Amino acid sequence: MIKLSGVSKSYDVGGEKFFALDNIYLEINDGEFASIVGPSGSGKSTLMHLVGLLDQPTGGDILVDGKNIAHLSDVSLSKLRNEYVGFVFQQFNLINKLTVRENILLPAIYSRKKLDYIPDERARSLLLRFGLQDRIDSYPNKISGGQQQRVAIARALIMKPKLILADEPTGNLDTKTGEEIIKLLQELNREENITVVIVTHDPSIAAKTKRKIKIQDGKITNN
Ligand SMILES: Nc1ncnc2c1ncn2[C@@H]1O[C@H](COP(=O)(O)OP(=O)(O)OP(=O)(O)O)[C@@H](O)[C@H]1O
Ligand SMILES: [Mg+2]
């Protein structure tokens, strides 16, 4: 479970403080399927970066399973992030010089955790599950957008995270392919109890999530 308590994120802009997030209280429980919605510039990505432990707040506390992350060293924080969260982005963020298999294995290569499974076997079974087994040695720029996003989801899953954070995961896909990606995230949530949080502009995608966290001008207006 992730808890934000009075969390702010401010930037100095021309000598003045600008609050991208302002005094946020939010709990995301294990197994939730939620969306973060709001206008451009409202703070959605900033919120996602904080929930995903990619960034630290300038005020307030973030607790992961009751532990205040402010008390963690940089090494412990990146270890926690690597094991706890999988990220999916609008631009897929795959490395074009690496094959599909190598992209999926990257988080496991960077990990310091002793795993009780063989990452390569998990990569293969994820690709099989996503119908991409014959693309394992392809390069990302040789496969379709929908296939790239599936590979990115497999990469997000390689460490068996509790939480998947997806920032506009369908933004670069046509409607039908986007719906398939959301369906896949729904399945992972339902079948494996992975918490899924999707940032989206698209009301039809938000409508598919059980919880809508609405944000405006850095404040949560509804959740
Ligand atoms: N490094 C920074 N310095 C100053 N301001 C920033 C910085 N990063 C973000 N902001 C500002 O914080 C606000 C929130 O940005 P954020 O990227 O979270 O919005 P968003 O809701 O994700 O928007 P979009 O829908 O366009 O992706 C914006 O006004 C943005 O300009
Ligand atoms: Mg954004």
Side-chain angles (χ1 to χ4, degrees):
M1 195 252 260
I2 298 206
K3 185 174 175 178
L4 273 62
S5 181
V7 161
S8 300
K9 180 77 188 180
S10 62
Y11 297 102
D12 285 319
V13 182
E16 297 219 356
K17 263 194 182 172
F18 168 78
F19 283 85
L21 290 176
D22 190 4
N23 200 28
I24 300 278
Y25 287 84
L26 179 68
E27 277 184 32
I28 297 171
N29 291 304
D30 292 348
E32 281 204 66
F33 192 71
S35 55
I36 299 175
V37 293
S40 182
S42 57
K44 302 182 297 295
S45 295
T46 307
L47 180 60
M48 200 191 98
H49 284 107
L50 291 178
V51 169
L53 315 177
L54 284 169
D55 203 357
Q56 297 267 14
T58 47
D61 293 306
I62 299 177
L63 289 89
V64 177
D65 292 339
K67 252 187 289 175
N68 192 329
I69 63 150
H71 300 151
L72 297 177
S73 66
D74 284 353
V75 171
S76 305
L77 185 63
S78 50
K79 186 168 183 285
L80 178 64
R81 184 194 314 120
N82 178 270
E83 291 163 16
Y84 197 95
V85 199
F87 294 95
V88 177
F89 299 97
Q90 178 170 359
Q91 316 283 356
F92 322 128
N93 290 17
L94 298 171
I95 296 175
N96 278 324
K97 280 187 192 156
L98 300 179
T99 65
V100 161
R101 176 181 160 277
E102 290 163 344
N103 267 283
I104 296 172
L105 287 173
L106 267 190
I109 290 165
Y110 285 123
S111 166
R112 296 152 190 263
K113 193 183 176 191
K114 192 161 169 25
L115 302 173
D116 61 359
Y117 55 93
I118 298 165
D120 195 58
E121 285 178 3
R122 180 161 172 79
R124 282 171 200 280
S125 76
L126 287 165
L127 284 172
L128 190 63
R129 176 175 182 173
F130 297 168
L132 288 170
Q133 63 277 17
D134 50 356
R135 294 298 190 177
I136 188 160
D137 294 318
S138 300
Y139 288 88
N141 53 8
K142 296 283 191 287
I143 60 177
S144 72
Q147 290 173 329
Q148 288 187 60
Q149 198 58 303
R150 280 190 183 74
V151 171
I153 293 171
R155 179 183 57 187
L157 288 169
I158 193 75
M159 298 299 291
K160 301 190 176 176
K162 270 194 177 176
L163 169 67
I164 287 193
L165 293 177
D167 196 348
E168 301 278 2
T170 63
N172 271 356
L173 303 173
D174 62 80
T175 308
K176 182 169 163 287
T177 309
E179 279 170 4
E180 287 165 8
I181 292 295
I182 298 301
K183 202 162 147 240
L184 202 155
L185 294 172
Q186 278 172 325
E187 278 170 21
L188 293 167
N189 171 257
R190 219 174 15 234
E191 293 167 15
E192 294 173 39
N193 204 38
I194 298 174
T195 312
V196 175
V197 180
I198 303 169
V199 170
T200 185
H201 271 106
D202 186 340
S204 72
I205 288 170
K208 291 182 177 152
T209 61
K210 290 181 198 148
R211 177 183 182 193
K212 282 176 264 309
I213 300 164
K214 290 189 183 156
I215 176 165
Q216 195 155 11
D217 295 329
K219 292 188 173 73
I220 288 179
T221 56
N222 203 339
N223 84 89

